[in-house]
């Protein structure tokens, strides 16, 4: 990639994050070098430090931004959903699948490079992940309280649901026979059935 002519600091910083995401997704965090990153953006290696403190800081920022956006957009999706648990769970699933299928590189880096973070950053990301998991656990517990769901352990169910939903990133292809919306709708129906919700019941 050629040098970004006339770019200001914000544009260069954004280009560094985009390039860092591509390279980490393609090569892995450990294999990506800062010289390679600088060449991808079109700046001198020393100039990177005008925009990032370190390679470790870049990784943290990428994962943190992904998780912050996921939490914010999931919260917005639930705020727009009807109040009963089945409708809210459907909204959560539809949002989760659509969000993740549109950000496969971010999801890969957040899941597989989390282990590369040093303890302070790792703990902050884990706290974000737990907050997201807690949203789903709360939905499942709401459904049990309403009598709409039959779940022996809401936390175990939440982990299983998230693993299934996020797994779509490994096999979904945009040029396949199903759209993102269709894949999300299929998963929403499966999740609701797995929770003991009878399709056609009141949402």
């Amino acid at each position: 990639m050629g040098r970004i002519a006339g770019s200001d600091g914000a544009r260069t910083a954004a280009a560094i994050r985009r390039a860092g995401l591509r390279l980490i997704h393609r090569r892995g965090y450990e294999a990506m070098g800062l010289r390679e990153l600088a060449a991808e953006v079109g700046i001198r290696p020393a100039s990177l430090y005008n925009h990032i403190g370190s390679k470790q800081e870049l990784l943290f920022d990428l994962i943190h931004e992904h998780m912050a956006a996921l939490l914010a957009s999931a919260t917005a999706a639930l705020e727009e959903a009807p109040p009963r648990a089945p409708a809210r769970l459907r909204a959560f699933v539809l949002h989760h699948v659509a969000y993740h299928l549109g950000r496969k590189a971010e999801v890969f880096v957040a899941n597989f490079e989390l282990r590369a973070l040093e303890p302070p950053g790792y703990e902050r990301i884990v706290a974000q992940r737990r907050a997201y998991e807690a949203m789903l656990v709360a939905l499942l517990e709401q459904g049990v309280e309403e009598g709409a769901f039959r779940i022996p352990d809401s936390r175990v169910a939440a982990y299983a649901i998230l693993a299934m939903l996020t797994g779509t990133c490994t096999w979904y292809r945009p040029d396949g026979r199903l759209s993102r919306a269709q894949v999300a709708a299929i998963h929403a129906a499966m999740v609701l059935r797995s929770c003991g919700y009878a399709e056609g019941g009141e949402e």
Side-chain angles (χ1 to χ4, degrees):
M1 177 178 179
R3 179 178 296 276
I4 305 170
S7 62
D8 58 23
R11 287 178 56 203
T12 302
I16 290 169
R17 288 194 298 273
R18 289 193 300 270
L21 179 67
R22 287 195 303 272
L23 290 172
I24 295 172
H25 180 222
R26 185 190 315 152
R27 295 172 50 76
Y29 173 75
E30 293 298 336
M32 185 196 75
L34 292 182
R35 287 184 176 277
E36 179 183 20
L37 175 59
E40 184 82 3
V41 179
I43 61 177
R44 296 186 179 92
S47 297
L48 283 174
Y49 295 104
N50 294 326
H51 307 283
I52 61 171
S54 65
K55 180 179 167 181
Q56 178 71 199
E57 181 183 292
L58 173 63
L59 178 64
F60 171 79
D61 286 346
L62 290 172
I63 300 178
H64 175 70
E65 288 173 8
H66 164 70
M67 286 304 306
L70 175 62
L71 281 162
S73 58
T75 298
L78 291 179
E79 287 175 349
E80 296 175 0
R84 283 181 52 81
R88 287 166 58 77
L89 181 56
R90 186 186 300 279
F92 181 93
V93 172
L94 293 176
H95 166 268
H96 184 99
V97 174
Y99 182 96
H100 283 67
L101 291 184
R103 297 166 178 81
K104 295 176 76 169
E106 290 91 337
V107 172
F108 179 90
V109 171
N111 287 337
F112 291 100
E113 299 295 350
L114 175 62
R115 63 195 175 201
L117 286 175
E118 295 171 356
Y122 177 88
E123 290 163 8
R124 289 182 63 187
I125 300 301
V126 168
Q128 288 179 300
R129 288 167 65 106
R130 286 176 179 160
Y132 188 71
E133 292 162 0
M135 294 174 66
L136 178 54
V137 171
L139 285 175
L140 299 178
E141 291 177 345
Q142 178 190 347
V144 171
E145 291 173 3
E146 291 176 355
F149 300 158
R150 295 188 299 277
I151 303 169
D153 190 302
S154 294
R155 189 165 297 278
V156 171
Y159 293 152
I161 290 168
L162 289 173
M164 179 178 72
L165 299 182
T166 305
T168 56
C169 290
T170 64
W171 57 262
Y172 177 75
R173 297 292 178 270
D175 57 353
R177 63 186 180 84
L178 296 174
S179 67
R180 293 179 187 173
Q182 288 173 314
V183 170
I186 290 169
H187 280 74
M190 289 194 297
V191 167
L192 285 166
R193 283 197 298 271
S194 73
C195 291
Y197 176 72
E199 197 69 31
E202 182 183 353
E203 292 193 10

